[in-house]
Amino acid sequence: MAKVSQEMGNPYLSRSKICLMKREEDFEANLSGEEGTTEETKTSWFKRIKKGILTSTAEKKETPEGLWTKCPSCNYICTVTELRENLFVCPKDGHHHRIGSSEYFEILFNDNRYDILFENIRSKDFLHFTDLKSYGKRLEETWNKTDITDSIRIGAGQVREHHMIVACMDFEFIGGSLGSVMGERIARAVDYCLQHRAPLMIICKSGGARMMESAFSLMQLAKVSAKLSQLTDARIPYISLLTDPSFGGISASFGMLGDLNIAEPGALIGFAGPRVIRETIKKDLPEGFQRSEFLLEHGFLDFIVNRKELKHKIATVLSLLKN
Ligand SMILES: [Zn+2]
């Protein structure tokens, strides 16, 4: 306080700065329950009579965590149960929330029954790569934190009358990044499809390559693309479903190699992010750039499918391809 009044007497101090300091002082006085000195604070409607916050922690009424959720698109608040019943699509504006592989398997497979294949293949830190922490430690932490073993899970089961393989990425596991495990699991899934003559669907949700595996990560793009061509030769359909977000090498290779390339509404799909592109070409980007609707209009996608119609559409498409 003494410092403030001393400063106020300072002729070099600007008038606006004095005003600001005085207001700050009054604001503090109001918070602590003291009388304000300016007209503004004196006539305030709400006044704190007692100093500080007096509610003890035990008395606080808290909502249990995870019970309510807010839509990031329209701020609509509803319970997680309501959202789950709606297949994680916002009831108000139809925004598709990001979900993991278990949710997609539940949506697609009949009676939520399926087998998870190739779980024994695990990532290894063969380059001894260290960024903020070592890759080995990062893997350990992710395994402890989640119940998933890598960024993709392979599910085999019935979708309506079709026996099919769904390979679904989990963004939760190091950003759904493409490492050697993802490559190997997809490769084995293709072998399984060839053996059982079952169609394959890959659900993409990834930030791109796993930088901790460097060139080993990039090699997977060629490996998976080559494996997928075996499906083409055997005349077995491969459907690529792109969800929010699908970026980097995946969208530039096997994400776009499907016999059908489809996407969820409003999903961000691209190679590099919009900010990088804007800074490179030094031009403003068109509205809705890299959203699935924009890509459909420009011929990158075959159709956009709402999550609620996903199972029905996939089954219909497979029936049409079979006949
Ligand atoms: Zn919404």
Side-chain angles (χ1 to χ4, degrees):
M1 215 58 141
K3 194 177 164 239
V4 171
S5 40
Q6 205 180 12
E7 268 183 1
M8 276 179 185
N10 187 343
Y12 296 106
L13 219 61
S14 72
R15 205 183 141 82
S16 61
K17 196 170 176 190
I18 294 173
C19 250
L20 198 76
M21 284 196 313
K22 212 168 155 60
R23 205 177 295 165
E24 256 173 21
E25 196 183 313
D26 283 330
F27 182 68
E28 268 175 34
N30 202 14
L31 273 182
S32 57
E34 289 162 17
E35 281 280 289
T37 45
T38 62
E39 275 312 301
E40 234 179 291
T41 46
K42 261 184 189 167
T43 55
S44 62
W45 283 26
F46 302 103
K47 212 171 274 177
R48 201 180 278 269
I49 299 162
K50 286 178 190 164
K51 271 191 185 184
I53 297 162
L54 297 169
T55 322
S56 69
T57 323
E59 278 176 63
K60 276 185 193 165
K61 288 182 182 66
E62 277 178 28
T63 329
E65 226 180 302
L67 194 62
W68 293 89
T69 169
K70 191 160 98 174
C71 172
S73 159
C74 70
N75 291 338
Y76 177 74
I77 295 173
C78 66
T79 60
V80 176
T81 324
E82 189 188 341
L83 195 64
R84 182 178 281 274
E85 276 165 13
N86 215 30
L87 307 184
F88 295 93
V89 176
C90 172
K92 202 177 161 202
D93 70 343
H95 173 79
H96 282 50
H97 289 247
R98 287 182 185 177
I99 52 174
S101 57
S102 7
E103 286 81 12
Y104 276 110
F105 290 157
E106 195 181 334
I107 291 168
L108 284 164
F109 291 121
N110 299 353
D111 310 319
N112 199 16
R113 276 169 55 190
Y114 53 88
D115 294 320
I116 295 289
L117 308 174
F118 320 123
E119 281 290 284
N120 55 333
I121 311 168
R122 299 293 185 98
S123 294
K124 214 173 164 185
D125 184 15
F126 29 73
L127 293 176
H128 305 291
F129 190 93
T130 304
D131 47 288
L132 289 173
K133 49 188 149 189
S134 76
Y135 179 39
K137 201 176 165 207
R138 195 181 288 277
L139 284 170
E140 281 294 333
E141 282 178 11
T142 320
W143 282 325
N144 291 336
K145 215 164 55 188
T146 63
D147 54 355
I148 40 181
T149 54
D150 214 281
S151 47
I152 199 162
R153 291 209 301 161
I154 317 289
Q158 288 289 126
V159 178
R160 294 267 164 91
E161 68 272 31
H162 307 281
H163 179 67
M164 82 180 288
I165 302 293
V166 180
C168 184
M169 296 174 196
D170 277 293
F171 200 76
E172 214 184 334
F173 198 99
I174 321 186
S177 52
L178 165 76
S180 42
V181 171
M182 188 192 281
E184 184 58 24
R185 283 188 186 175
I186 296 177
R188 293 200 192 182
V190 170
D191 287 337
Y192 183 97
C193 289
L194 291 168
Q195 210 181 339
H196 295 81
R197 292 208 61 81
L200 172 73
M201 175 154 92
I202 300 182
I203 302 177
C204 295
K205 190 179 285 286
S206 171
R210 188 172 295 172
M211 61 166 190
M212 301 85 160
E213 291 190 17
S214 187
F216 288 98
S217 165
L218 298 180
M219 277 153 63
Q220 308 309 315
L221 300 170
K223 176 173 159 177
V224 172
S225 305
K227 283 305 279 185
L228 290 174
S229 68
Q230 291 184 343
L231 281 184
T232 315
D233 294 341
R235 302 173 71 83
I236 295 171
Y238 158 51
I239 299 169
S240 169
L241 171 64
L242 302 158
T243 69
D244 187 53
S246 294
F247 270 90
I250 289 174
S251 67
S253 73
F254 60 84
M256 288 292 183
L257 284 179
D259 297 309
L260 281 173
N261 298 319
I262 60 178
E264 285 189 343
L268 261 180
I269 302 159
F271 183 66
R275 194 168 42 89
V276 177
I277 298 174
R278 195 182 303 119
E279 275 165 23
T280 311
I281 64 169
K282 307 258 183 283
K283 268 182 191 168
D284 276 334
L285 300 170
E287 208 182 313
F289 181 68
Q290 288 185 330
R291 294 277 171 197
S292 36
E293 291 75 12
F294 187 89
L295 293 179
L296 178 74
E297 209 182 303
H298 291 79
F300 276 95
L301 298 172
D302 292 297
F303 59 85
I304 291 172
V305 57
N306 192 298
R307 202 176 281 162
K308 288 179 180 172
E309 293 160 11
L310 181 64
K311 185 172 177 170
H312 175 71
K313 279 239 171 141
I314 295 295
T316 313
V317 160
L318 290 178
S319 298
L320 288 170
L321 289 173
K322 221 177 205 174
N323 297 323

